[in-house]
Amino acid sequence: MAEVTELHVYPVSGEPGRDLEEAAVDSEGLAGDRRKKAAVHVVAAADVAPDTRANLVVSLTPVELEAAIGGLLVTGGVELEVTGTARNCPGVYAAVRHPGIVRVGDEVTTVAPDGAVDAG
């Protein structure tokens, strides 16, 4: 089973972020995060480096995460539409399709563009 392993917000560009145990997610992204190119930046735990600035870190493999492009990531009460790869860094960008609350430890399910569900 895949899960959310870390949550982060970055209120000020270039400054350290804040680690969270849970976050409210609305159409603009995680509460307390600055607005950027996409509402949410998701990265596979295997791709985390000291300079990674992703909002959600998940236990999916990098290949599984990239395969979700065009589909959905469902976690907690949130549905994220995976829109494409992140620029100049690992992971993917996502738009918020259904707002809600996400917590560290929440299960992550992928829904492929063809509607196939993978519970990770």
Side-chain angles (χ1 to χ4, degrees), residues 1-5 44-45 57-61 64-65 73-76 103-110 118-120:
M1 170 185 83
E3 67 181 17
V4 175
T5 60
V57 178
V58 297
S59 64
L60 294 168
T61 68
E64 290 170 326
L65 189 57
L73 290 179
V74 181
T75 184
R103 293 174 180 83
V104 171
D106 280 349
E107 182 177 350
V108 176
T109 302
T110 59
D118 181 5

Side-chain angles (χ1 to χ4, degrees), residues 71-86:
L72 301 174
L73 290 179
V74 181
T75 184
V78 179
E79 277 187 17
L80 301 174
E81 182 176 350
V82 183
T83 57
T85 56

Side-chain angles (χ1 to χ4, degrees), residues 10-96:
Y10 301 91
V12 180
S13 181
E15 291 191 13
R18 291 188 0 242
D19 300 339
L20 306 171
E21 288 298 314
E22 77 172 36
V25 182
D26 63 25
S27 62
E28 299 294 317
L30 278 69
D33 198 30
R34 69 179 165 74
R35 301 303 168 229
K36 47 198 178 302
K37 296 175 184 128
V40 181
H41 180 191
V42 184
V43 70
D47 281 340
V48 172
D51 62 343
T52 300
R53 295 180 63 84
N55 300 115
L56 269 71
V57 178
V58 297
S59 64
L60 294 168
T61 68
V63 170
E64 290 170 326
L65 189 57
E66 196 163 312
I69 293 172
L72 301 174
L73 290 179
V74 181
T75 184
V78 179
E79 277 187 17
L80 301 174
E81 182 176 350
V82 183
T83 57
T85 56
R87 294 184 199 149
N88 304 317
C89 56
V92 297
Y93 287 144
V96 179

